[in-house]
Every structure is written in C-alpha cells, then in structure tokens.
Amino acid sequence: MIEQSSESASEYEKLPDNTVVYRALRKGWIDRDRSIVKSDAYYLRKRINEQSISVNFSIEQSLSALKNCEGVASLNVGGIRELGLNVVRDSSSHGSIIGLPYREDNRPRANELALLLARQSQIVWESLSK
C-alpha cells in the first residue's frame, strides 16, 4: 500500500545503511513450518503497475499497512543496497525499495532478487492465526 503524501522523496535525506525497514507480509508470504519469508513478498505486480516494494519504519506502521497482516519482516537498508537496489523515504513513515524488475520483463533477475531479499528478511512479528 502506498501512502499518499504531498511530500516528495527529495525532501528527505538519504537513509543510512544501518536503517532497519519493515515489510508487512500478506497471507502466503510466510513459510510457517520454517518461519521464513517467501520470495513472493518481493515481486513487483506489473498488472497494477507497481513501481516499488512498500516498507515502513516501524513494526506498528507495517501492522496498520495491510488489512489482514500475517506478519512483519525486518530488513537492513545496507543489505538491500548491496543487491544493487535502493530504499528511499517517500513520507515520514513510509519507504520504497526501488530498482526491482518485473518477472514478466526479466524473470531470472526478478527471481534472484526476490529470493535474496527473502533470505535477508527476519520475521519480527507473526499473526497467531494459521
């Protein structure tokens, strides 16, 4: 979910590499048997012209980002940048992971990046409902 704001990303300073961001996780994005994030959480949806992966700056903001949030994963901005991607702040509470390709345009690279982002993710909150 992208938060609407009159603020532009250029109004914010570059995020330090040690910044932690949080990804709200939908149903099906968590392998509950192994307590890991699936790569599905990091694919852009071309059919809705998604341009970036939504992240927040706190667990609480992530929990309120999705109507039926199943979990929240943390990632380190420096680790994301090591993949050739970037994280930009686009409001006081929201950021975006940018630089990902669509699966339809470059499936091998999209799969690789989604898998690497999932491996970097640490589940920090998980819904008790199964």
Side-chain angles (χ1 to χ4, degrees):
M1 176 163 134
I2 296 181
E3 181 177 306
Q4 297 298 319
S5 173
S6 60
E7 304 159 329
S8 71
S10 63
E11 293 178 34
Y12 297 100
E13 291 186 25
K14 180 181 174 187
L15 292 168
D17 282 349
N18 65 350
T19 304
V20 176
V21 294
Y22 300 90
R23 174 78 168 143
L25 302 172
R26 298 178 184 278
K27 186 175 183 170
W29 287 0
I30 300 172
D31 180 333
R32 291 190 182 267
D33 293 333
R34 299 187 302 161
S35 288
I36 60 170
V37 178
K38 294 180 180 179
S39 58
D40 295 345
Y42 297 103
Y43 286 112
L44 291 179
R45 297 172 290 177
K46 190 171 188 173
R47 65 181 166 74
I48 63 168
N49 198 31
E50 196 169 45
Q51 299 296 308
S52 61
I53 297 292
S54 181
V55 293
N56 296 287
F57 296 106
S58 75
I59 295 170
E60 294 76 18
Q61 290 163 345
S62 291
L63 289 170
S64 65
L66 289 178
K67 185 176 181 181
N68 295 313
C69 186
E70 292 293 317
V72 176
S74 67
L75 296 115
N76 184 279
V77 169
I80 296 168
R81 288 183 177 140
E82 286 175 5
L83 302 176
L85 304 172
N86 197 10
V87 182
V88 295
R89 180 186 292 267
D90 46 31
S91 80
S92 59
S93 63
H94 186 269
S96 296
I97 300 173
I98 58 173
L100 289 158
Y102 292 115
R103 280 183 279 195
E104 296 85 349
D105 297 340
N106 188 344
R107 184 172 295 273
R109 184 70 176 145
N111 288 344
E112 175 187 30
L113 289 170
L115 180 62
L116 292 170
L117 287 168
R119 285 181 179 165
Q120 287 186 16
S121 299
Q122 299 293 315
I123 296 174
V124 294
W125 181 88
E126 193 171 344
S127 169
L128 295 177
S129 64
K130 298 272 179 181

